[in-house]
C-alpha cells in the first residue's frame, strides 16, 4: 500500500471528511512531511472507491460549491488495520534490533580518550 | 475578470485532463478543493498543474484498460476470429492466383536480384507453393487455428498459435527464398499474424461461439480507420516515386540492416504510423471512442509488419511486388467490417459472445 493511500485511509478512520479536509488532515498526521495535492487525492479516492474501501457519505453545497464527504467502509477498516499492524510489526523489529545494536556496539566517545 | 475567476478558469482547463465522466461527476468537487487550497495565487502553480495533468491522464489510461467493456470484448473477438481467417485467405490466394513478375530490366527491384545465382523467378505463388517446405504447415496451422477460434476454444487456440509459429519460424530459417522457400510476403504475413492472434486470444473473452456485431456508428468509424490504414500502406509501396527511389537504392546496396536502409522508404512507413496515430487521437477526442485504439493498432499491423521486415530482410518485396496475399492482407479487414455491419443491419439484432463456465 502506498503511503498516500495509507494516510488517506487513516484520515478517514477518525470521521468522514471532504477532500480539502483530507488534505489538511494528512498534512497533520504526517507531521508536515506529506503535502497531498488534489490530483493525487482524487486519483487515490477513485481507486479506493472502486476497491470499495471508501464510499461517499453525504454531499453539501458550501459557498455555491459542491462538497462531498467520504467515509471508510468496513472493508476499508479491515485493510487499514492489517496495513497498520504490518507497519507496526516491521517498526517493532527495527526498533528492537537497534536496541540490541546499541548494547552490542556502543557508539564511540568522540569527545576524547581511547575506545 | 476577478483574480479568482481567472484562477478558476485556469483550473478548469487543467481538469480537462480527466475523463469526461469523472469531470461530470466530480469536476466541481475537485475544483472546489483546488480553489480552497489556492491561497493568494493568480494562476495554478507548476506543481499543481503537473499533479492534475498526470493524475487525469493516469485515470484515463486506467479506466480505459482496467474495466471490461463490451465494445472491447467485441473488438477483440473480431480480431481473434478475423486474423487467422485473413492469413488463410491470403495463403489460398497466393496458391490459386500467382502473381506474374515483370522482366528484371523493367523492375527496379529486381535489379539487385540479378546478383543471385540461378534464374530469377517469373512469378510469385502458384501451385508450386504446395511443395515448399513449411508452407503447408504454415497454412495448415492457420486453418486449424481459425477452426479452433471459431469454436471458442481459446486456450487450445493459443497452443496452436505457439506451435504453428515455432514450426513456421524453423521452416523459414532453414530455407532461402529463391526457388524453394516460403515467399517473402507470406513470411512477413505469417510472422506478423502470429503475435497478433496470440494477443487477441489472450485478451478476448472466452466463449463457446464467436459472435460479433458492431453498432452502425462504431462500425463505420472502424471501417474508415481500416480504409485509412490500407490507403496509407499503399502510399508506402513502390508504386510511388517516393518509395521507388528507396527500393532502387536498397537493391544496389546489398544491405538489409536497419541503419543502412534508405531513409525515404523507412520514413514513409513511419509517417504512415504517425498519421494513423494522429487520426486515432482525433477520432478519440471528437467521437469519444478512445477504446478503439486497440483496433487501430491491430489494423496498423500490415504497416508495422513491413517496417519490421525491412529491418531484417529485404523490404523490396512488400513495397514493390503487391501479390494477392498483399491484397488480401490489405483489403480483407475493411471487407470483414463491412460484412459485419450488413449482418447487423439485416438481422436487426446485436449478437454477443456467450460465456461458458470453466476454461475453454
Amino acid at each position: 500500500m502506498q503511503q498516500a493511500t495509507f494516510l488517506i485511509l487513516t484520515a478517514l478512520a477518525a470521521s468522514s471528511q471532504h477532500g480539502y479536509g483530507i488534505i489538511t488532515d494528512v498534512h497533520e498526521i504526517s507531521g508536515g512531511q506529506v503535502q497531498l495535492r488534489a490530483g493525487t487525492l482524487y486519483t487515490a479516492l477513485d481507486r479506493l472507491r472502486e476497491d470499495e474501501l471508501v464510499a461517499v457519505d453525504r454531499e453539501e453545497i458550501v459557498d455555491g460549491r459542491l462538497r462531498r464527504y467520504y467515509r471508510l467502509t468496513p472493508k476499508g477498516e479491515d485493510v487499514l488495520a492489517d496495513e497498520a499492524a504490518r507497519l507496526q510489526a516491521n517498526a517493532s523489529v527495527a526498533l528492537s534490533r537497534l536496541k540490541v545494536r546499541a548494547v552490542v556496539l556502543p557508539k564511540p566517545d568522540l569527545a576524547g580518550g581511547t575506545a | 475578470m476577478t483574480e479568482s475567476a481567472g484562477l478558476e478558469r485556469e483550473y478548469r482547463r487543467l481538469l480537462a485532463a480527466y475523463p469526461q465522466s469523472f469531470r461530470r461527476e466530480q469536476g466541481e468537487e475537485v475544483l472546489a478543493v483546488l480553489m480552497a487550497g489556492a491561497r493568494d495565487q493568480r494562476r495554478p502553480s507548476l506543481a499543481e498543474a503537473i499533479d492534475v495533468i498526470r493524475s487525469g491522464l493516469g485515470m484515463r489510461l486506467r479506466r480505459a484498460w482496467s474495466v471490461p467493456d463490451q465494445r472491447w470484448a467485441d473488438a477483440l473477438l473480431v480480431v481473434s476470429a478475423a486474423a487467422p481467417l485473413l492469413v488463410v485467405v491470403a495463403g489460398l490466394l497466393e496458391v490459386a492466383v500467382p502473381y506474374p513478375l515483370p522482366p528484371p530490366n523493367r523492375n527496379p527491384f529486381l535489379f539487385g536480384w540479378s546478383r543471385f545465382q540461378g534464374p530469377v523467378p517469373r512469378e510469385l505463388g502458384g501451385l508450386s507453393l504446395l511443395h515448399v517446405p513449411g508452407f503447408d504447415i504454415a497454412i495448415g496451422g492457420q486453418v486449424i487455428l481459425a477452426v479452433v477460434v471459431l469454436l471458442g476454444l481459446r486456450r487450445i487456440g493459443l497452443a496452436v498459435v505457439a506451435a504453428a509459429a515455432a514450426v513456421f519460424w524453423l521452416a523459414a530459417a532453414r530455407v532461402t527464398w529463391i526457388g524453394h522457400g516460403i515467399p517473402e510476403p507470406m513470411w512477413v504475413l505469417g510472422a506478423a499474424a502470429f503475435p497478433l492472434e496470440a494477443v487477441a486470444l489472450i485478451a478476448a473473452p472466452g466463449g463457446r461461439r464467436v459472435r460479433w456485431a458492431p453498432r452502425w456508428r462504431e462500425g463505420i468509424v472502424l471501417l474508415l480507420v481500416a480504409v485509412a490504414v490500407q490507403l496509407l500502406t499503399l502510399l508506402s509501396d513502390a508504386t510511388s516515386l517516393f518509395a521507388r527511389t528507396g527500393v532502387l537504392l536498397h537493391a544496389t546496396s546489398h544491405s538489409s540492416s536497419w541503419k543502412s536502409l534508405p531513409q525515404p522508404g523507412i520514413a514513409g512507413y513511419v509517417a504512415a504510423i504517425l498519421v494513423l496515430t494522429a487520426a486515432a487521437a482525433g477520432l478519440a477526442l471528437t467521437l469519444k471512442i478512445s477504446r478503439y485504439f486497440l483496433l487501430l493498432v491491430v489494423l496498423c499491423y500490415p504497416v508495422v509488419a513491413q517496417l519490421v521486415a525491412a529491418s531484417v530482410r529485404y523490404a523490396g518485396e512488400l513495397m514493390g511486388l503487391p501479390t494477392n496475399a498483399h491484397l488480401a492482407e490489405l483489403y480483407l479487414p475493411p471487407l470483414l467490417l463491412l460484412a459485419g455491419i450488413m449482418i447487423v443491419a439485416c438481422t436487426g439484432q446485436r449478437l454477443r459472445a456467450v460465456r461458458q463456465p470453466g476454461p475453454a
Side-chain angles (χ1 to χ4, degrees), chain A residues 1-10 29 78-96:
Chain A
M1 182 183 292
Q2 294 183 2
Q3 184 188 31
T5 305
F6 179 79
L7 291 171
I8 291 169
L9 292 176
T10 302
I29 292 170
D78 293 339
V79 169
L80 178 61
D82 290 344
E83 182 66 12
R86 185 184 71 84
L87 291 173
Q88 187 175 46
N90 290 346
S92 296
V93 170
L95 288 171
S96 65

Side-chain angles (χ1 to χ4, degrees), chain B residues 24-359:
Chain B
R24 190 168 50 241
E25 295 169 7
Q26 295 180 266
E28 292 302 317
E29 177 189 350
V30 179
L31 180 63
V33 173
L34 288 167
M35 293 297 290
R39 303 286 184 262
D40 298 325
Q41 292 170 231
R42 289 186 178 183
R43 54 187 309 168
S45 66
L46 180 61
E48 275 182 322
I50 291 173
D51 177 66
V52 171
I53 292 172
R54 181 181 56 83
S55 301
L57 295 179
M59 186 180 290
R60 281 180 182 267
L61 198 62
R62 189 169 56 82
R63 285 189 172 191
W65 288 95
S66 66
V67 179
D69 182 86
Q70 189 56 43
R71 290 178 297 176
W72 274 125
D74 285 348
L76 290 169
L77 283 173
V78 171
V79 172
S80 63
L85 289 175
L86 174 64
V87 178
V88 168
V89 169
L92 293 176
L93 286 176
E94 191 83 356
V95 172
V97 188
Y99 181 80
L101 292 173
N105 58 345
R106 292 174 53 191
N107 188 319
F109 170 69
L110 291 176
F111 177 83
W113 282 359
S114 63
R115 298 173 186 273
F116 289 99
Q117 295 183 358
V120 175
R122 303 184 67 175
E123 66 178 19
L124 287 177
L127 292 175
S128 61
L129 281 177
L130 296 177
H131 304 292
V132 170
F135 182 81
D136 51 350
I137 298 175
I139 296 300
Q142 291 291 344
V143 171
I144 295 172
L145 178 63
V147 172
V148 167
V149 166
L150 289 175
L151 289 176
L153 303 175
R154 186 157 53 107
R155 292 188 182 185
I156 295 177
L158 276 172
V160 171
V161 167
V167 172
F168 185 86
W169 279 88
L170 285 172
R174 291 182 59 188
V175 300
T176 56
W177 188 91
I178 301 298
H180 54 273
I182 299 175
E184 292 278 352
M186 288 303 301
W187 185 90
V188 176
L189 185 62
F194 289 126
L196 170 68
E197 292 156 1
V199 168
L201 285 171
I202 290 171
R208 189 65 184 165
R209 294 175 60 186
V210 175
R211 297 175 179 174
W212 166 75
R215 290 170 290 187
W216 274 101
R217 178 179 171 223
E218 295 160 8
I220 289 173
V221 171
L222 289 174
L223 180 62
L224 290 175
V225 170
V227 170
V229 170
Q230 316 314 345
L231 287 176
L232 287 170
T233 305
L234 286 173
L235 288 176
S236 299
D237 74 16
T239 57
S240 67
L241 181 62
F242 178 75
R244 184 181 287 268
T245 304
V247 172
L248 178 61
L249 290 174
H250 174 64
T252 57
S253 69
H254 295 290
S255 175
S256 64
S257 65
W258 174 265
K259 292 181 181 177
S260 61
L261 281 171
Q263 290 305 309
I266 297 297
Y269 293 128
V270 173
I273 293 172
L274 290 175
V275 168
L276 287 167
T277 304
L283 284 173
L285 290 172
T286 56
L287 299 179
K288 300 179 178 54
I289 51 171
S290 57
R291 295 171 188 270
Y292 281 96
F293 267 107
L294 177 64
L295 260 190
L296 181 66
V297 171
V298 167
L299 294 172
C300 281
Y301 84 88
V303 179
V304 175
Q306 296 180 52
L307 198 60
V308 171
S311 69
V312 294
R313 301 174 75 112
Y314 276 143
E317 286 83 356
L318 295 177
M319 292 169 64
L321 300 171
T323 67
N324 298 298
H326 298 146
L327 296 177
E329 178 187 357
L330 290 174
Y331 293 109
L332 204 55
L335 289 176
L336 282 176
L337 292 170
L338 188 60
I341 294 170
M342 293 178 67
I343 289 171
V344 172
C346 291
T347 60
Q349 312 175 17
R350 175 160 191 170
L351 304 176
R352 294 180 182 274
V354 179
R355 291 180 178 272
Q356 292 293 320

Side-chain angles (χ1 to χ4, degrees), chain A residues 17-21 23-24 36-51 56 59 62 64-70, chain B residues 4 8 12 18 22 25-26 28-39 45 47-48 51-52 54-56 58-59 62-63 66-67:
Chain A
Q17 298 197 60
H18 55 81
Y20 190 69
I23 289 175
T24 52
L36 205 60
R37 297 195 184 276
T40 305
L41 169 66
Y42 279 93
T43 300
L45 284 175
D46 190 59
R47 204 160 44 236
L48 290 170
R49 286 176 69 182
E50 272 183 25
D51 295 339
V56 175
E59 296 177 0
V62 178
R65 296 193 190 278
L66 176 67
R67 179 178 286 181
R68 189 176 276 128
Y69 288 77
Y70 297 90
Chain B
S4 64
E8 180 176 327
R12 287 188 186 277
Y18 284 94
F22 178 84
E25 295 169 7
Q26 295 180 266
E28 292 302 317
E29 177 189 350
V30 179
L31 180 63
V33 173
L34 288 167
M35 293 297 290
R39 303 286 184 262
S45 66
E48 275 182 322
D51 177 66
V52 171
R54 181 181 56 83
S55 301
M59 186 180 290
R62 189 169 56 82
R63 285 189 172 191
S66 66
V67 179

